[in-house]
Amino acid sequence: ARGWPPFDRYGLAGASSLLDVGCGTGEITRRLARRYPQARLLGLDILEGNLGLARRDSEAFGERVRYETGDAFAHACRIAPEAGAGTLVHVGRFDLLEFALVLEPEEPLARARRIFFAGMAALADAIGAVSPPVKPLVFDWPDTILFDGARIGGGRLGWPAHCGEDAVPGWLVFSASLTRARIGILES
């Protein structure tokens, strides 16, 4: 059988659980379901219209393939308590780069929120490393990123709803998204 290089390198086999964030109409999700017949798959997308088509076209897979409305941030917040620090959820669509990282702070929420600024600064460094130096990269306080005057993305921070300002949260999720189609700087 001919392999599928984007996924074969991971050595997936058996009863795996696979997540397709930004699944659109489910084409890749269905390919994965055919390639890995014992796997359970979850496709996430922010557009319910896409998910309706995905569900319709995936009926043959039964309960093994599900679709939900969501994005990397929402999914990371949902799985953070079990998944733990270092869990990365990402989307790599043609028009959008989105990721969410689960963190486990050791200080109260009021101070732990500083990670948002560190994350945004790291994001700016990454964008600056691949963008023309004559084009301005600006933050529109507190969470919007502008490149050459156009909004190209932003960041979000999530934590458990019940966590008080003086309590140490069990988890934080830092998430960012960049609209690739607007900037054209991340193309190889």
Side-chain angles (χ1 to χ4, degrees), residues 156-180:
R156 295 190 277 181
L157 187 68
W159 56 87
H162 65 276
C163 186
E165 292 292 308
D166 296 326
V168 175
W171 54 268
L172 292 175
V173 170
F174 173 74
S175 177
S177 63
L178 296 172
T179 305
R180 205 186 298 204

Side-chain angles (χ1 to χ4, degrees), residues 59 65 89 100 107 112 132 137 142 152-153 160 162 164 166:
E59 287 178 357
V65 176
V89 177
E107 57 188 5
L137 180 65
I152 61 164
H162 65 276
D166 296 326

Side-chain angles (χ1 to χ4, degrees), residues 99 113-129 137-139 141-145 154-156 174-176 178:
F99 72 90
R113 274 197 220 121
R114 295 179 296 189
I115 193 63
F116 180 78
F117 302 108
M120 293 297 279
L123 191 58
D125 286 347
I127 296 168
L137 180 65
V138 177
F139 288 98
W141 185 261
D143 60 356
T144 300
I145 303 168
R156 295 190 277 181
F174 173 74
S175 177
L178 296 172

Side-chain angles (χ1 to χ4, degrees), residues 5-183:
F7 297 97
D8 287 347
R9 67 178 174 211
Y10 298 112
L12 300 172
S16 304
S17 293
L18 305 176
L19 173 67
D20 183 4
V21 182
C23 68
T25 59
E27 176 61 30
I28 299 296
T29 312
R30 288 188 299 281
R31 285 187 191 184
L32 289 168
R34 284 190 291 275
R35 178 82 172 118
Y36 304 104
Q38 294 178 329
R40 298 186 68 74
L41 292 98
L42 172 60
L44 294 179
D45 202 273
I46 60 172
L47 300 175
E48 188 57 44
N50 283 345
L51 295 174
L53 295 171
R55 288 180 188 109
R56 179 198 70 196
D57 294 345
S58 299
E59 287 178 357
F61 297 106
E63 296 292 316
R64 203 166 63 83
V65 176
R66 299 183 302 116
Y67 295 95
E68 295 178 8
T69 304
D71 57 13
F73 176 76
H75 185 70
C77 287
R78 203 167 31 252
I79 67 170
E82 295 84 31
T87 300
L88 176 67
V89 177
H90 67 87
V91 175
R93 296 185 341 209
F94 74 95
D95 62 339
L96 179 73
L97 297 168
E98 179 188 10
F99 72 90
L101 179 64
V102 177
L103 306 164
E104 291 177 354
E106 297 178 352
E107 57 188 5
L109 179 60
R111 288 196 307 260
R113 274 197 220 121
R114 295 179 296 189
I115 193 63
F116 180 78
F117 302 108
M120 293 297 279
L123 191 58
D125 286 347
I127 296 168
V130 296
S131 63
V134 297
K135 303 279 187 174
L137 180 65
V138 177
F139 288 98
D140 188 7
W141 185 261
D143 60 356
T144 300
I145 303 168
L146 304 171
F147 178 75
D148 199 24
R151 183 184 192 282
I152 61 164
R156 295 190 277 181
L157 187 68
W159 56 87
H162 65 276
C163 186
E165 292 292 308
D166 296 326
V168 175
W171 54 268
L172 292 175
V173 170
F174 173 74
S175 177
S177 63
L178 296 172
T179 305
R180 205 186 298 204
R182 281 214 176 139
I183 53 179

